[in-house]
Amino acid sequence: MKSKSPPANNISERTYRTKNYIIASGYISDLPVAATNYYYIPEFMTPSRSWQSFLEETGVLLRFTGRFFSQCFRPRYEIAEFLRQCFIIGYRSLPLIGLTAFIMGLVLTMQLRPSLIDYGVESQLPAMVGIAIVREIGPVIVALIFAGKIGSSIGAELGSMKVTEQIDAMEVSGTNPFKYLVVTRVLASTVMLPVLVMLGDAISLYGSFLGVNIRGTTSFDLFWNQVLGNLSFGDVIPAFVKSFFFGFAVGLIGCYRGYYSTKGTEGVGRSANSAVVISSVLIFLIDLVAVQITDILGLN
Amino acid sequence: MGNTSVRNIKLGVFVLAGLLFLIILLYVIGKNQNLFGDNFQLSARFPNVQGLTAGNNIRFSGIQAGTVREITVLNDTTIEVVMLIKSSLKKHIRKNALASIGTDGLVGNKVVNIIPVRGNAATVQDGDILACQETFDTDRLLQKLAKTSEDISDIAADLKITMHRISNSKVIWELLEDKSLPENIRTSATNIQLATAHARDMTHALNLMVTDIKAGKGSLGAFITDTSLAANLNLAIEKIRQVGDEAYELAGNLNMTVGNLYNEVNTGKGPVAALLKDSVMAANIANSLQNIEKGTTSFNELLEAARHNILFRGYFRKQERQKKKAR
C-alpha cells in the first residue's frame, strides 16, 4: 500500500495533520475516503508514537462516544437489529464464557485450598471463593473473554465493511450506518455483558462447588449458604454495575476501531487486534476506577 | 420469520436466566440481612462493643436471629447497640435475657449473643433494652495471661535458685550417695523394733509390778499397804513439831538477851559500855599505836644502815639488777 502512495511524501506535516483532523471531526462520510486511503496513513490509526498522537486518538474516541450518545436517543430505533446483535453478542458467547467461568471457579477453588488448609480455615473455602468470584474474578474474566470474542469480531466486521465500502453504500441507500451498525452493537454489548457476568458467576460458583467436593464433602445447601451468607449488597451491586461499563467499553472500542479501519484487509486485522488490546486495557482501567468509587461509597 | 422468533426466545431465556440469578442473589443477601420480612427492634447497652459493627449477626441461643442495625455512643461508658430481630422469635425472647458480645468461631466476626435466663419474665416488646453480660475480652484475657506468666517466671527464678542450691549442696548428695545409709537405716529400724519390743516387755513387767504393789507384795507393797507405818510416821512428825517449838523458845530468849545488851550500851551501864565509852583506855590505845609507829621508823633506819653494810650490799645490788632485767 505504501508503495502506491507517492503523493503522501510530498504533503507537508501540517497538511497531513489538517486532514487528520478533518477525518477525526466526524465528517468522514463526506470525504472521498477511498481516494484518501491511497495517499496517506492517518497517524492515529498506527500505534501511538507520541503524546500528541495519543491525546489526538483519545479526542477522536471521545467524539465517537459523543456521537454514539447523540445517535442513541434519537429515532429511528433499530430494534430488530439490536435484538439480532444481542443474540449474537450475548447468547452465542454463553458457551465460551460458561466454559471459562466453570474452569475458573474450579481451578481457583483447588488452588486456594492448600493455603486455607495451612491457616486451618478450610471450611471458609466456599465463602472465600464466592467473594472472589462475585466481586472481581467473575466480572473481569468474563469481560476479558468477551473482549476477545466480541471486541475482535465487531472490529473485524465493521473494519471489513469499511474497507469494502459497504458503509458508504449504506449511507447512499439512505440508512444511517452509525445507528444501524455502531449504536446497536454498543448497546447490545453493554446490556449483554452484565447478563453474561451473572450467568458466568453462577457457573463459576457451580465449578467451585465441584472443586470443593473433589477433595472434601460439602452439601450444595451448605455451600450455597456459606457463599451467600458471606456476600453483601456491597459485593454484588458494584460488580454488576461495573460490568455495564465493561460491556460498553468493549462494544465502543470494537466499533471505533472497525469504523475507522483503513488500508484494506491489513487494516481489518489491525482493527480487530487493537480493539481487543485497547478494550482489555480499558477493562482494567475501569476496574481500577470502580474499586476506588466503591471504596469512597463505603461498599467495600 | 420463524428463525428470528426462535432467536428472540433463546435471547429472552438467556437474559431472564441472568436476571433471575441476580435477583436470587440480591434476595438471599437481603434476607440474610433482614431487609425483607417481619422484624422488631431490641437494644442492648454495653460498656465496650469490641469492634462490633452494623450488619453483624445476632444469635439467640445459637440460632441466627437477626442483625445489628446501628451502634450509637450514648456517653463515654455506654454504647447502645440496636438490633433487628426476626418477629418469629419475639415470643421466645424474655425480658430477663442477657446480651453479650462474642466471636463467631475463634477469629471470626463479632456476634451479639442473646442468652435466655431461667425464671419467669414477660416476653420482650418492640424497643426493649436487654441487660448486658460482661464477657471475656481477649485483651483482658491476654493481660491476665501476661500477669500469670510474669508470676510463673518469678516462681521459676526462685525455683532455679533453690534447685541450684540443692544441687550444689554436698551434704544432700553425700547423703544420697552414701551406700551405707540404707544399711544404717535398716539397722536403726531393727533397733527401734528391738527397743519397742523391750519397751513392751518393760511395760509388761511394770504392769505386773503395779499389780503386785496393789496386792501388797514386796517391800514397796508392804510400805504402801502397812497401816502401823502411818502411826509411826505420825509420832515422828509430832516429835519434829516439838523440836520446832523449843527452837522457837530459844530464839525468844536470844532476842531478849540482845535487847538487854543494847539497853546496857545505850544507858552506859555494864562492862560493854565501859569498854566502849572509857576515854582513858582510848588514850592508852593511841599511845601504844604511836609507840609502834616509832618502833617501825627505827626499824626502817636500821634496815637502811644494813643495806650500806658491806656484808649485805652484794645482796641488794643483785636484787636491783634483777628488777631492771624484769623491766
Side-chain angles (χ1 to χ4, degrees):
Chain A
M1 289 277 177
K2 272 182 184 168
S3 59
K4 282 189 180 179
S5 55
N9 299 333
N10 301 333
I11 299 171
S12 70
E13 185 72 11
R14 185 153 185 84
T15 331
Y16 189 91
R17 291 208 175 276
T18 315
K19 286 201 173 179
N20 229 347
Y21 276 120
I22 290 167
I23 288 170
S25 314
Y27 296 107
I28 191 159
S29 54
D30 303 332
L31 286 172
V33 179
T36 52
N37 248 350
Y38 283 103
Y39 289 103
Y40 64 89
I41 312 149
E43 200 176 74
F44 66 86
M45 288 296 173
T46 59
S48 300
R49 268 167 294 185
S50 66
W51 275 104
Q52 206 175 355
S53 60
F54 171 75
L55 292 174
E56 210 173 302
E57 177 146 11
T58 310
V60 175
L61 179 57
L62 284 175
R63 287 197 78 106
F64 188 81
T65 313
R67 193 175 168 196
F68 163 77
F69 280 113
S70 70
Q71 297 275 331
C72 179
F73 298 106
R74 254 184 243 161
R76 110 182 213 257
Y77 304 112
E78 303 282 356
I79 304 292
E81 174 63 11
F82 169 69
L83 291 178
R84 200 180 74 89
Q85 287 303 326
C86 281
F87 182 80
I88 294 165
I89 290 173
Y91 186 82
R92 290 257 172 92
S93 302
L94 186 60
L96 178 69
I97 279 167
L99 179 72
T100 321
F102 177 81
I103 292 170
M104 205 60 225
L106 187 87
V107 169
L108 187 70
T109 308
M110 296 188 70
Q111 297 274 35
L112 272 174
R113 178 191 286 277
S115 303
L116 292 187
I117 287 174
D118 280 351
Y119 286 104
V121 285
E122 195 192 353
S123 63
Q124 294 296 307
L125 191 54
M128 187 158 178
V129 173
I131 287 175
I133 287 173
V134 171
R135 282 189 83 120
E136 184 62 25
I137 291 168
V140 171
I141 294 290
V142 170
L144 286 177
I145 300 295
F146 190 76
K149 184 175 188 296
I150 301 304
S152 64
S153 87
I154 291 176
E157 192 181 6
L158 263 64
S160 60
M161 285 170 102
K162 174 79 183 178
V163 297
T164 54
E165 298 170 27
Q166 286 183 52
I167 291 175
D168 299 322
M170 213 176 267
E171 185 95 13
V172 171
S173 69
T175 316
N176 183 345
F178 198 91
K179 233 180 214 317
Y180 189 79
L181 298 176
V182 176
V183 172
T184 51
R185 280 172 173 76
V186 174
L187 275 182
S189 63
T190 307
V191 174
M192 284 300 109
L193 184 59
V195 177
L196 282 170
V197 166
M198 278 299 122
L199 290 173
D201 281 354
I203 294 165
S204 201
L205 287 176
Y206 185 71
S208 172
F209 168 67
L210 293 184
V212 170
N213 274 295
I214 285 175
R215 283 293 173 85
T217 315
T218 304
S219 72
F220 188 75
D221 277 353
L222 179 62
F223 180 84
W224 178 246
N225 281 334
Q226 270 190 307
V227 169
L228 292 182
N230 285 286
L231 286 177
S232 64
F233 289 128
D235 298 322
V236 178
I237 292 172
F240 186 67
V241 170
K242 79 181 172 189
S243 58
F244 279 100
F245 289 94
F246 290 166
F248 179 73
V250 171
L252 191 78
I253 297 294
C255 289
Y256 163 73
R257 300 308 279 181
Y259 208 79
Y260 290 135
S261 185
T262 48
K263 286 173 56 185
T265 46
E266 190 194 336
V268 172
R270 194 178 288 171
S271 294
N273 179 24
S274 62
V276 174
V277 173
I278 294 174
S279 51
S280 301
V281 172
L282 260 183
I283 284 166
F284 283 106
L285 288 178
I286 292 168
D287 201 36
L288 179 68
V289 174
V291 78
Q292 302 287 346
I293 291 172
T294 317
D295 202 38
I296 290 166
L297 292 177
L299 290 170
N300 254 354
Chain B
M1 276 169 80
N3 197 17
T4 314
S5 70
V6 168
R7 280 182 162 194
N8 285 348
I9 288 166
K10 282 180 180 171
L11 183 66
V13 170
F14 164 74
V15 172
L16 283 179
L19 289 180
L20 194 71
F21 182 71
L22 177 71
I23 288 163
I24 290 172
L25 213 60
L26 293 181
Y27 175 73
V28 175
I29 292 168
K31 204 179 154 197
N32 284 345
Q33 295 187 355
N34 292 346
L35 290 182
F36 315 117
D38 254 0
N39 294 308
F40 71 101
Q41 270 192 18
L42 281 181
S43 306
R45 288 173 181 171
F46 296 95
N48 181 353
V49 294
Q50 297 165 28
L52 191 79
T53 50
N56 275 138
N57 290 329
I58 314 288
R59 301 265 164 80
F60 172 67
S61 302
I63 301 168
Q64 176 65 30
T67 49
V68 174
R69 187 198 178 91
E70 64 170 337
I71 293 170
T72 46
V73 181
L74 294 184
N75 59 45
D76 58 341
T77 52
T78 317
I79 295 158
E80 187 173 65
V81 177
V82 180
M83 303 176 281
L84 272 184
I85 314 276
K86 284 181 199 162
S87 289
S88 57
L89 288 168
K90 197 171 182 176
K91 58 177 183 278
H92 300 296
I93 303 176
R94 298 185 180 277
K95 286 194 175 186
N96 62 356
L98 294 174
S100 73
I101 293 173
T103 312
D104 197 3
L106 198 60
V107 287
N109 290 324
K110 291 286 173 193
V111 293
V112 176
N113 288 306
I114 297 176
I115 307 152
V117 175
R118 278 178 193 281
N120 281 327
T123 52
V124 285
Q125 298 298 312
D126 195 14
D128 272 354
I129 296 171
L130 296 180
C132 85
Q133 189 189 40
E134 195 75 21
T135 46
F136 92 93
D137 183 355
T138 328
D139 287 349
R140 257 172 39 205
L141 190 78
L142 286 178
Q143 276 172 17
K144 217 166 216 178
L145 212 65
K147 180 83 178 55
T148 314
S149 74
E150 244 170 54
D151 291 351
I152 289 174
S153 79
D154 285 354
I155 292 168
D158 289 351
L159 209 65
K160 190 182 158 193
I161 294 166
T162 313
M163 290 312 290
H164 198 65
R165 286 180 64 177
I166 287 174
S167 63
N168 280 355
S169 152
K170 282 180 185 167
V171 179
I172 289 175
W173 291 116
E174 265 176 24
L175 205 66
L176 287 176
E177 281 166 9
D178 190 356
K179 287 186 179 115
S180 62
L181 194 69
E183 191 54 43
N184 290 343
I185 289 172
R186 205 172 296 139
T187 317
S188 303
T190 319
N191 289 342
I192 289 168
Q193 208 178 344
L194 281 171
T196 317
H198 286 154
R200 197 191 56 210
D201 289 351
M202 236 157 80
T203 319
H204 187 66
L206 217 61
N207 203 12
L208 276 174
M209 221 150 88
V210 169
T211 319
D212 286 354
I213 289 166
K214 268 187 187 167
K217 284 178 193 166
S219 54
L220 195 61
F223 177 72
I224 288 170
T225 49
D226 191 357
T227 45
S228 64
L229 187 75
N232 288 345
L233 265 176
N234 269 348
L235 208 68
I237 288 165
E238 186 59 29
K239 286 254 169 77
I240 290 167
R241 202 169 57 81
Q242 275 174 14
V243 171
D245 285 350
E246 278 162 19
Y248 181 70
E249 251 172 62
L250 186 71
N253 292 342
L254 215 59
N255 204 14
M256 228 158 68
T257 314
V258 170
N260 290 342
L261 210 60
Y262 183 70
N263 279 340
E264 275 175 22
V265 169
N266 276 350
T267 50
K269 288 172 192 168
V272 176
L275 202 67
L276 285 175
K277 295 198 173 173
D278 191 353
S279 54
V280 180
M281 196 166 120
N284 286 345
I285 289 169
N287 213 4
S288 305
L289 282 174
Q290 246 175 355
N291 287 343
I292 290 169
E293 204 176 320
K294 275 180 189 168
T296 316
T297 316
S298 315
F299 185 69
N300 271 352
E301 276 174 5
L302 195 70
L303 266 178
E304 195 65 35
R307 237 180 183 178
H308 294 288
N309 192 323
I310 203 155
L311 289 173
F312 298 106
R313 206 189 289 166
Y315 167 74
F316 284 109
R317 276 184 186 163
K318 196 179 174 186
Q319 216 170 21
E320 275 179 4
R321 271 204 303 276
Q322 271 177 349
K323 270 184 190 171
K324 273 183 188 173
K325 230 181 186 178
R327 247 175 253 156

